Amino acid sequence: DKTKPWPREHSGLLKHAYGGTSNYEMVKDLFVTFSNSLDVEFDVGSIALNSTRIVCDYLGIGKSLGWINGNDLYNELSGTQRVIAILEHFGAKRYLSGLGGKNYLETELFEKSGITLEYMSYGVKQYPQMFGGFKSEVSILDMIAHLGVEAPNYFASTIERG
């Protein structure tokens, strides 16, 4: 809901969590950029796309990626059929999904279409965190707060074929 003060509330939570880190200003700037983007579009897909793009731009990764919002593409289809139609529309030969995709993507439809299906298992190397110990189940903002632009050097993901 755009009328709620959640961006301000979240900004306060980020300051509380990361205010003592050496890269807090970077996290703050990213959040401000993200919050400002909410004035343009406010659906879940757009929020996810915009936040991912902002972080990737900051980290200098994904420069060769084409960013699309598939909200208006092939709405008459659903599930794996819709995913494949969008991939074919753009001439994709490969689809990379999170491991959760194993629970719902129909691998036989990918095989039939000739599009390679792969799954990424997300991982991260240990890095020093402000409160001691190491917790890997945190957002990319934690990595940026503690590591800055070095964060991509700590990615430890693996890819497996579907």
Side-chain angles (χ1 to χ4, degrees):
D1 181 353
K2 277 183 141 174
T3 63
K4 303 281 184 194
W6 70 265
R8 186 174 58 252
E9 292 169 2
H10 278 69
S11 181
L13 292 171
L14 288 171
K15 183 173 185 175
H16 177 74
Y18 299 120
T21 64
S22 59
N23 298 298
Y24 168 69
E25 288 301 316
M26 294 176 193
V27 171
K28 181 178 156 190
D29 290 346
L30 285 171
F31 189 74
V32 167
T33 302
F34 168 70
S35 296
N36 290 340
S37 76
L38 295 178
D39 291 337
V40 179
E41 296 185 69
F42 201 76
D43 63 89
V44 174
S46 296
I47 290 171
L49 181 66
N50 286 338
S51 61
T52 301
R53 185 181 307 154
I54 289 165
V55 169
C56 286
D57 287 349
Y58 169 76
L59 294 174
I61 57 178
K63 297 243 184 242
S64 64
L65 296 176
W67 297 94
I68 63 148
N69 186 334
N71 285 351
D72 299 323
L73 297 174
Y74 302 98
N75 288 321
E76 70 279 6
L77 301 174
S78 63
T80 303
Q81 291 177 335
R82 183 169 185 230
V83 171
I84 290 174
I86 292 170
L87 293 169
E88 289 175 339
H89 178 88
F90 290 100
K93 302 293 180 209
R94 177 179 173 228
Y95 183 65
L96 183 60
S97 172
L99 287 177
K102 288 182 175 184
N103 297 324
Y104 59 85
L105 290 172
E106 299 173 61
T107 56
E108 65 279 355
L109 294 180
F110 278 90
E111 290 169 7
K112 195 174 176 181
S113 72
I115 297 174
T116 301
L117 173 60
E118 296 176 320
Y119 299 100
M120 180 175 283
S121 174
Y122 298 94
V124 63
K125 299 174 196 169
Q126 286 192 15
Y127 57 90
Q129 292 172 321
M130 186 169 61
F131 299 108
F134 178 72
K135 299 212 181 310
S136 63
E137 301 82 19
V138 293
S139 81
I140 187 66
L141 294 179
D142 187 84
M143 293 182 76
I144 292 171
H146 291 97
L147 302 168
V149 294
E150 294 300 313
N153 296 330
Y154 288 79
F155 296 159
S157 302
T158 58
I159 295 174
E160 62 183 72
R161 289 229 168 185

